[in-house]
Amino acid sequence: MSEFRRRLRALPDFPDVLPDFDVASAPADPAVLFRQWLEHAISAGVPQPHACSLATADAAGNLSSRMLILKDLDDDGWHFATGRNSRKGRELAENPRAAMNFYWAQLGRQVRVSGTVVELSAQASAADWAARPSADGSANPDWQLYALRPTGVEFFQAQHDRRHIRYSCPFSPVDALPINPGTDDTDTDGSLGGWPAVR
């Protein structure tokens, strides 16, 4: 085993105290559960709890990802924004699908949201641009507000016994309504947020 590999394996995975997650009492609506978890992350002092990675791909399937900020969550979906001519903007124009991943290390929690992406209105995009902390009153017609409409949402709660809890909420790609109340899977592969295939 290389020294670098030994160094990685010696690093701690999770904090000493982890929150409980009772799947049986989880809200049927994953947006409600997400808001609860986000509020918990804010209360726990997690830095930038509204930050997430956004993965996109071009028409050929070449992947890219980056960190950004969640703008809102409503009936349209999970909101984010970028310039249409940015890499992610160009990729979304070619392939309007994406995946978000929120990771709150202090709580051993992750939320993964994947689905289709739609452009929101020019008015909403302009309002988002104007609301940025660095806004100077100028317009930016290249700025676009998007909504990720999920075809699946997955909640991950780490546990010290390595029987990590995964709570999956699949959606219909047509009407974006939950297909069923969700499934509870435990992850025993010892990985950090391994997201194994649904069993």
Side-chain angles (χ1 to χ4, degrees):
M1 183 183 295
S2 71
E3 182 59 32
F4 184 63
R5 180 177 172 80
R6 277 193 291 270
R7 171 66 173 154
L8 293 178
R9 291 179 66 87
L11 294 173
D13 289 338
F14 306 111
D16 293 335
V17 179
L18 292 170
D20 294 327
F21 177 39
D22 180 13
V23 171
S25 62
D29 184 348
V32 174
L33 180 57
F34 177 84
R35 289 175 185 272
Q36 291 177 356
W37 277 28
L38 179 62
E39 288 297 334
H40 192 171
I42 294 170
S43 299
V46 175
Q48 289 190 302
H50 56 328
C52 64
S53 66
L54 179 79
T56 56
D58 62 19
N62 299 303
L63 297 165
S64 65
S65 67
R66 75 290 289 162
M67 298 298 294
L68 49 68
I69 296 299
L70 180 70
K71 298 281 189 168
D72 200 358
L73 170 57
D74 60 17
D75 290 343
D76 284 324
W78 274 252
H79 294 202
F80 64 95
T82 188
R84 291 190 189 89
N85 291 318
S86 68
R87 177 171 180 175
K88 54 185 172 293
R90 296 193 305 271
E91 290 177 346
L92 288 168
E94 296 178 12
N95 182 5
R97 298 187 62 79
M100 290 177 168
N101 194 80
F102 297 83
Y103 178 49
W104 302 309
Q106 293 88 332
L107 302 173
R109 284 179 168 176
Q110 297 187 58
V111 180
R112 185 174 66 179
V113 185
S114 58
T116 58
V117 175
V118 297
E119 293 185 359
L120 299 181
S121 70
Q123 292 82 359
S125 298
D128 181 76
W129 174 259
R132 299 170 81 235
S134 58
D136 58 6
S138 63
N140 182 359
D142 183 57
W143 192 250
Q144 180 61 54
L145 186 65
Y146 297 89
L148 192 163
R149 294 180 173 173
T151 54
V153 181
E154 197 164 54
F155 295 84
F156 173 93
Q157 175 63 67
Q159 295 195 306
H160 288 300
D161 62 4
R162 316 304 294 184
R163 296 188 61 82
H164 309 316
I165 300 170
R166 296 168 59 249
Y167 182 61
S168 300
C169 304
F171 284 70
S172 162
V174 175
D175 55 16
L177 294 175
I179 295 172
N180 57 46
T183 57
D184 172 21
D185 290 299
T186 53
D187 173 7
T188 58
D189 67 354
S191 63
L192 176 61
W195 306 110
V198 174
R199 293 183 286 276

